[in-house]
Amino acid sequence: MSQPIWILGASGYVGGAYQRLLESRGIPFRVLPRTALDYYNVSTLTAALKEAKPAFLVNCAGYTGKPNVDACELHKTECLLGNAILPGVLRQACEATGTPWGHVSSGCIFTGRRRDGGGLRETDAPNFSFRTNNCSFYSGTKALGEEVLAGADNCFIWRLRIPFNEVDSPRNYLTKLMRYDRLLEAENSLSQLDEFVRATWECWEKHVPFGTYNVTNPGAVTTREVVVLIQQSGVSKKHFAFFSDEADFMQKAAKTPRSNCVLDSSKLLASGIVMSEVHDAIAKALKNWKAA
């Protein structure tokens, strides 16, 4: 590849996985921290893109809140800038310079399933957003970020959903379940982190049409099903306690509503990109678990 790949937000959980993938394949890339390039400034970013002419740009930058989305309720300015304003800046600069790029979005802009019982599709409007007035501030800003990118040229929007892999980490869904005192029973789609990164890279590598893709492992899983897989694996023998319902969870443990949803990933599969079934992916991660 004549020009390197640019990665924004490379120091994060997802950005680190992109670095590992590209390194393993010998693909040159450049990490762009904000200390090196103020990519929130459209003029600065446009000039840098014109000069460097990267082959492709991956945006993993944004604001997720630590240890969870409740923190976004206290840092709304940073959350809005990272998740809603930045995508628009990137779109303007990339379209001005003809730079193809991919944006890591989130499935948290949805709740539940389709009315017919199926998973939510790329053509479905977000139903957990500011416009539906039922969401966390984080989910609302992520939905705005997708609105900003509607109709963008040469752009992928990749929806990540509750990432996990075999490495113990505060950002790993499996680690979170094992460390929480009490859990909320819910049904969700998930994204095995390394499969997500590989699948999104294949979108670019295989010249898949630009657009929005739900990049999740096929199927859906409940919290209790994950707990059973954890216990069967022997990774943890903990007794897992559950809240009685969502109202109990909101009263005792949360400041803002959570997105629990099932996404349809058939569009990605139809493009020739395969991810493992979600239960199989979880079982494999637990079989190969690497404790901190």
Side-chain angles (χ1 to χ4, degrees), residues 91-285:
R91 175 180 183 173
Q92 187 174 340
C94 287
E95 289 185 347
T97 57
T99 304
W101 66 296
H103 171 65
V104 177
S105 186
S106 174
C108 73
I109 60 179
F110 292 103
T111 185
R113 289 175 171 265
R114 288 171 59 90
R115 290 183 178 179
D116 62 9
L120 291 147
R121 301 169 186 162
E122 289 83 354
T123 52
D124 290 317
N127 64 357
F128 196 68
S129 70
F130 292 142
R131 297 193 183 281
T132 50
N133 194 31
N134 61 343
C135 66
S136 66
F137 196 80
Y138 172 75
S139 291
T141 60
K142 294 300 285 189
L144 286 179
E146 288 206 10
E147 285 192 36
V148 167
L149 297 181
D153 296 334
N154 300 326
C155 176
F156 292 110
I157 298 174
W158 298 312
R159 289 177 179 156
L160 174 74
R161 183 70 190 147
I162 313 182
F164 71 94
N165 66 1
E166 75 281 5
V167 181
D168 190 3
S169 163
R171 309 302 282 182
N172 185 331
Y173 173 61
L174 300 179
T175 299
K176 291 179 179 181
L177 289 188
M178 288 186 270
R179 292 183 182 175
Y180 285 147
D181 293 331
R182 194 176 295 268
L183 305 177
L184 174 66
E185 168 64 349
E187 181 187 41
N188 278 294
S189 291
L190 307 179
S191 299
Q192 201 282 348
L193 177 63
D194 303 290
E195 287 194 54
F196 170 88
V197 168
R198 185 261 305 161
T200 58
W201 179 251
E202 287 183 4
C203 286
W204 166 243
E205 196 173 49
K206 295 183 176 181
H207 306 290
V208 167
F210 290 108
T212 303
Y213 292 86
N214 295 332
V215 189
T216 59
N217 294 81
V221 65
T222 67
T223 314
R224 292 184 188 273
E225 287 176 325
V226 180
V227 163
V228 169
L229 289 170
I230 291 172
Q231 292 172 328
Q232 290 176 344
S233 73
V235 170
S236 174
K237 295 297 185 180
K238 172 183 174 180
H239 171 72
F240 291 88
F242 285 80
F243 293 99
S244 57
D245 53 27
E246 190 166 358
D248 186 35
F249 167 72
M250 288 299 301
Q251 181 181 11
K252 296 177 179 177
K255 295 183 176 68
T256 187
R258 299 297 197 267
S259 161
N260 293 294
C261 67
V262 176
L263 302 183
D264 183 323
S265 59
S266 59
K267 179 181 176 181
L268 185 73
L269 180 60
S271 300
I273 299 174
V274 179
M275 296 177 70
S276 58
E277 192 277 333
V278 64
H279 295 82
D280 293 341
I282 295 168
K284 182 178 179 181

